[in-house]
Structures are given as C-alpha cells and as structure tokens.
Amino acid sequence: MPHSPAAIVSAMHEELRALLPLLDDRHTVRLAGRDFHHGVIHGQPVVLALSGIGKVAAATTAVLLMHAFDSRQLVFTGVAGGLAAGVNVGDVVVARQLLQHDMDASPLFPRFEVPLTGRARFDADTDLADALAAATRSCSGVRLHQGLIVSGDRFIASAADSDVLRALLPDALAVEMEGAAVAQACADFGRPFAVVRTISDRADDAAHLDFVRFIDEVASATTRAIIEEWLAHV
Ligand code: SAH
C-alpha cells in the first residue's frame, strides 16, 4: 500500500491547528462528526485528524482512519500528566507500552487485563517509536523518556489519585486519556502505531492550572517540531 497515508491524530484543537499549516494539497473529508485532513507533508502522504478526548473517541477515530482511509500507520500526539519521578512539565514521553488503568474485570480477569485478549499491555511499534524518539532527540532542549503510558477516562488532577496509580503501576511514566485505546484498536487491525506525549502537568493538585497554561504556551510547538522532524526523515 505505497500510497496509503500515515495518520497523525491529535487529542487537542491547539495541536491540530499547529500541524495544519504544514499540509500541502489539502482536502478534507468529514465522517462521523470528524474532519479528516488529507495532504502531503515533506513528500509523505498524511491524514490529520482530531480524535476528541477519552478512550471511545480515540478508538473510533483510529478505526475510521484504518478502515475508511486505509492509514498504514498511526501516530497519536497530545499532552499527558507526568507520573514517574523526574518526568516533568515540558518533557516528552514516547510510549513503548500502553495500558488502560481503568480496566478492571477482576476477579474474572486479572486487574488491567482487557478481557478475552489475554493482555493488559499493548506494545507500540518499535520502528515507529524509535523514529519518534530520534525526532524528539533532535529537538534541542527537550528531555525524552520512553516506557509505559497509562490511559483511562479520567483527568488525574490530585496528588492522592496519582499516588494510587504510582503504587499500582510503578513503571508508569505518564497518564493520559486516549493512548491505550488507540493501541487496542491498532492491535486488532495489525497496524503499527506510536504515541508521543508532551508533559503538561504532574497529575497533582495543580494539574488543571498547569494544563491550561501549558497547552497554549508550549505543547503545540513541541508536537509540531517532533512531527516535522519525523516526516522529514522517514
Ligand atoms: N477541558 C480540557 C479537557 C482536557 S482533558 C480542555 O481544555 O480541552 C485532558 C487531555 O490531556 C486529554 O486528552 C488527556 O489525554 C491529556 N492529559 C493531560 N494531563 C492529564 C492528566 N493529568 N490526566 C489525564 N489526562 C491528561
């Protein structure tokens, strides 16, 4: 499928707005209440979309991209709350694994396991994650972390809630609301995907304030720089 596009999905309007000016030969298709912007960036066919917030919105968007638009690979960009020590506002996390922290069908299945799949953790594509990590490293001044990102349908905005997640999932680097849903949908289709997140807050009592400030000031520019660098070297 040499001409099928790479999908770049943003959770937030601000990020899509930062990426759209890069798109040449743009045409937009509307489906299921979403705009899918097709075009070319650095010679690569791409489709840009806004997923909306949360696991269902993200999974729906991923399925449409793969089934209706035949996307050959999917990169999800956005912001996240830092969980592990040293994962600070402004840092970037490239996911190597994703897990739904709000999945719990125990005692029928082990906590976090997605029932009937036999697993809790879904792997990001190694080559794609490597490429995004390399793109991040070439953005000067950005600190990169790689490992587990956890997702759930909750904005984690208290030290008490993030302490619980840290205790249950000590290797989790960051928390957000979409990545693991995209991971599960892409696994069903057997399509490569990766998730790259800029840390907007520490998922603590100040999270809502940090989040709003950060989105406007930094996150969109970081996402744009990483995506441009990645596509320039594909
Ligand atoms: N009303 C807000 C909603 C943002 S929800 C708005 O301005 O649009 C938070 C988004 O950022 C989600 O897409 C989620 O993936 C990510 N995120 C950032 N920090 C998070 C945190 N501490 N907990 C959960 N998700 C977080």
Side-chain angles (χ1 to χ4, degrees):
M1 294 181 287
H3 297 299
S4 52
I8 301 164
V9 190
S10 306
M12 322 273 309
H13 282 286
E14 292 83 350
E15 287 177 305
L16 180 65
R17 230 186 6 241
L19 293 175
L20 275 176
L22 304 175
L23 198 61
D24 295 327
D25 304 331
R26 173 171 157 188
H27 73 279
T28 299
V29 177
R30 197 164 169 78
L31 184 60
R34 292 153 168 85
D35 286 329
F36 294 87
H37 305 283
H38 295 258
V40 175
I41 300 179
H42 290 301
Q44 304 292 327
V46 297
V47 51
L48 306 182
L50 195 66
S51 66
I53 291 169
K55 293 193 300 176
V56 174
T60 303
T61 308
V63 169
L64 289 171
L65 282 162
M66 290 182 283
H67 197 64
F69 301 113
D70 199 27
S71 298
R72 67 179 190 278
Q73 56 184 5
L74 195 151
V75 172
F76 198 99
T77 74
V79 293
L83 279 182
V87 179
N88 294 317
V89 172
D91 293 357
V92 167
V93 179
V94 170
R96 293 294 173 165
Q97 286 192 318
L98 296 110
L99 169 149
Q100 296 175 42
H101 69 74
D102 56 354
M103 176 60 76
D104 186 0
S106 60
L108 301 176
F109 297 91
R111 186 156 186 188
F112 305 123
E113 187 169 301
V114 179
L116 308 178
T117 67
R119 55 191 171 142
R121 293 175 184 234
F122 290 73
D123 293 332
D125 181 72
T126 303
D127 292 345
L128 200 48
D130 284 350
L132 287 164
T136 305
R137 277 196 201 94
S138 59
C139 298
S140 64
V142 176
R143 254 167 58 94
L144 170 68
H145 309 267
Q146 301 187 68
L148 177 66
I149 291 182
V150 298
S151 315
D153 285 323
R154 270 171 66 208
F155 184 66
I156 304 295
S158 76
D161 286 347
S162 49
D163 280 346
V164 170
L165 284 178
R166 267 188 293 272
L168 286 168
L169 297 159
D171 61 332
L173 298 177
V175 58
E176 37 85 313
M177 301 176 67
E178 297 86 15
V182 170
Q184 188 180 336
C186 290
D188 284 351
F189 280 79
R191 298 276 166 97
F193 76 94
V195 176
V196 55
R197 295 276 186 173
T198 309
I199 299 302
S200 56
D201 55 77
R202 279 285 304 168
D204 57 12
D205 299 335
H208 60 294
L209 298 174
D210 291 344
F211 175 84
V212 170
R213 213 176 294 136
F214 189 76
I215 293 301
D216 285 345
E217 290 170 11
V218 190
S220 309
T222 305
T223 298
R224 180 182 155 133
I226 294 169
I227 293 296
E228 244 199 305
E229 184 67 27
W230 167 54
L231 288 172
H233 296 97
V234 171

